[in-house]
Amino acid sequence: MASHKRYVLYAGTDRTLSLVARDDNGDILNLTGGTLAFRLARNPGDSTEVSKTGSITTAASGTFTVALTDGDTTDLEGDYYYNVLASISGTDTMCTEGVIRFLNLNPA
């Protein structure tokens, strides 16, 4: 089972997410030689609002980061679903997912 994590962030600010990759059994996924694709959408299955590449921190322990910039999140408010697909040696695994709640610093 993928790792699950929930965040509350302010829209329009920079933030680096620290995440852990897990395989379908919930075990740590070794990311050696892998790539990570982060996707953020309003709901699962919706069009992607933000797409980023993850940066592996420690491959053997499955840790990685995703950097969100102020420009990525300026127009976001409310709950958004994210997931991360790990591609390792030709195998794709949904390794992390969750919800990010974006708060607006300057409500109209």
Side-chain angles (χ1 to χ4, degrees), residues 9-39:
L9 307 176
Y10 289 106
T13 60
D14 294 342
R15 177 72 185 265
T16 298
L17 308 178
S18 296
L19 301 160
V20 176
R22 295 192 179 273
D23 65 17
D24 294 336
N25 297 318
D27 297 324
I28 296 294
L29 183 62
N30 187 326
L31 298 173
T32 299
T35 60
L36 300 160
F38 172 90
R39 176 187 175 275

Side-chain angles (χ1 to χ4, degrees), residues 30-72:
N30 187 326
L31 298 173
T32 299
T35 60
L36 300 160
F38 172 90
R39 176 187 175 275
L40 181 71
R42 187 62 156 166
N43 296 294
D46 283 0
S47 298
T48 300
E49 298 277 339
V50 177
S51 179
K52 304 292 263 186
T53 300
S55 298
I56 297 170
T57 307
T58 307
S61 62
T63 59
F64 65 98
T65 60
V66 174
L68 298 174
T69 66
D70 58 346
D72 293 330

Side-chain angles (χ1 to χ4, degrees), residues 87-105:
S87 297
I88 305 165
S89 300
T91 301
D92 293 339
T93 303
M94 188 64 59
C95 66
T96 307
E97 61 186 354
V99 174
I100 301 175
R101 175 167 288 168
F102 290 97
L103 304 176
N104 188 339
L105 286 171

